[in-house]
Amino acid sequence: MDDAGGAAGPNVAAQAAAAGWWAWAGYSPGPGSGPGGSSVSSDSVGMDYGGPSLAEKWDLTMFAIISAVGLVIGYLEASGIFNAPYSKFRRERLANWGYVSTRWGMLAIDGVALLIVLLFYLLYAGDEPYHTVTFFIYTVICVKRILEILFLHRYSGPVTVSCVVYLLALRAALTASACASILFTHQDDDNNWVSLLLPVPLVAFGLIGNHYHHILLAQLRSNGKVHPQRPYRVPRGGMFFQAACPHYLMELLVWLGFSVVVHRATMYGILIYTSCQLVGRAVQTRRWYVANVRGFPPDRTCLVPFLL
């Protein structure tokens, strides 16, 4: 096999390995969509694309699995049977592995997610607009979360190592699944600029709204310190006057817009998973506020002002 310039060289092995990867994934990339922009045709990998490819079947399977897990986690969160054990739901009995700073724990979780996104893009993305736009947005989402962890969020205490491992494993699996779905499945309208850019304002609105409400939460702790007798106070400002967790609503808007940009089954599964998890946690958060925070208005909804 010749390299992109038509001369045999060191790229032969890399391109052969890429072809094997595309074949295993069942992906039929278009011109310029192999690693480094090389063209890997269906003939070069010996695949018959008369029906759904292996990657497309995998994409639908991941949708079913991720959605089902999301429904279970959402139920467990909303019912209080099991809440992800951080922040106000931290559980001392899960501290068998000890504690770590919440800031460093969350930084590890989102740092690994960013690393996965960058590695997938650098190793497997081509030069087509679909890959560029989707991975740019994904990177922005990850970087925004990391900057907030480093410079904005005020945490009430440490988190257990077991919680960090649990959340890191979930985040890594979901991120890798999303990246694989973006790269190794193909749709005819992938590079349509209208479908790529139309949902971007929704993503931007969600990111800005989420950040704004995170600022309001951080301002509850003056000078970045947590009052030992009063670690939690009634959030005010923005949509906090109508809902307990409007920052969750804004985050859901981010993932809704991004899912439309990606338009892959796995990403829609992640949207369902995230929606179930955040709605469930919002329900339990409101209950916790009503029971534990003096002066919390009982007429505030959980997530969507006046509705939910």
Side-chain angles (χ1 to χ4, degrees):
M1 183 183 294
D2 293 339
D3 61 15
N11 285 339
V12 171
Q15 202 167 41
W21 173 256
W22 300 125
W24 177 86
Y27 176 46
S28 177
S33 59
S38 60
S39 176
V40 184
S41 68
S42 58
D43 292 338
S44 68
V45 296
M47 296 295 291
D48 180 8
Y49 295 102
S53 68
L54 176 61
E56 290 167 340
K57 294 176 182 178
W58 172 87
D59 196 35
L60 292 172
T61 301
M62 292 306 297
F63 168 80
I65 293 173
I66 294 171
S67 299
V69 171
L71 290 170
V72 172
I73 289 180
Y75 170 76
L76 294 177
E77 288 275 4
S79 64
I81 296 174
F82 177 79
N83 299 106
Y86 64 91
S87 185
K88 60 184 67 65
F89 300 111
R90 184 171 59 247
R91 299 185 180 186
E92 305 299 330
R93 63 185 179 85
L94 298 177
N96 294 338
W97 296 350
Y99 292 92
V100 66
S101 162
T102 300
R103 190 177 311 280
W104 285 107
M106 295 302 170
L107 185 61
I109 294 167
D110 285 287
V112 167
L114 176 60
L115 181 63
I116 290 172
V117 170
L118 294 178
L119 284 177
F120 266 90
Y121 180 75
L122 293 174
L123 292 175
Y124 302 115
D127 57 2
E128 56 187 276
Y130 175 74
H131 289 169
T132 303
V133 172
T134 53
F135 275 88
F136 175 78
I137 295 174
Y138 215 162
T139 301
V140 168
I141 293 172
C142 293
V143 170
K144 179 258 188 190
R145 295 173 67 101
I146 290 173
L147 291 177
E148 288 184 335
I149 291 169
L150 290 173
F151 303 110
L152 178 62
H153 293 322
R154 311 300 181 195
Y155 298 103
S156 59
V159 65
T160 62
V161 173
S162 57
C163 175
V164 173
V165 172
Y166 163 74
L167 294 176
L168 192 152
L170 280 176
R171 180 69 58 77
L174 292 174
T175 304
S177 298
C179 291
S181 178
I182 292 169
L183 289 169
F184 306 135
T185 58
H186 177 74
Q187 293 186 15
D188 292 338
D189 63 342
D190 278 350
N191 295 313
N192 184 311
W193 282 104
V194 174
S195 61
L196 281 177
L197 299 181
L198 191 61
V200 170
L202 180 61
V203 176
F205 177 77
L207 288 172
I208 294 170
N210 178 262
H211 180 68
Y212 170 69
H213 287 91
H214 280 167
I215 291 174
L216 296 179
L217 288 174
Q219 290 174 346
L220 293 175
R221 292 165 177 168
S222 58
N223 300 321
K225 296 181 179 179
V226 179
H227 194 286
Q229 277 77 44
R230 196 182 178 191
Y232 290 95
R233 297 161 59 190
V234 179
R236 301 188 185 281
M239 289 193 295
F240 277 119
F241 284 116
Q242 293 85 30
C245 301
H247 51 308
Y248 289 174
L249 174 62
M250 293 294 105
E251 185 169 348
L252 286 180
L253 293 182
V254 172
W255 291 109
L256 173 60
F258 186 51
S259 297
V260 176
V261 174
V262 173
H263 58 276
R264 293 291 191 271
T266 296
M267 199 65 230
Y268 289 128
I270 292 174
L271 175 63
I272 294 174
Y273 169 94
T274 304
S275 300
C276 292
Q277 192 264 335
L278 290 181
V279 169
R281 195 165 183 87
V283 168
Q284 198 61 22
T285 295
R286 181 187 175 278
R287 290 175 184 166
W288 188 93
Y289 270 123
V290 170
N292 296 280
V293 179
R294 185 176 56 196
F296 183 82
D299 59 340
R300 287 190 186 181
T301 56
C302 302
L303 188 75
V304 183
F306 310 113
L307 294 177
L308 175 63

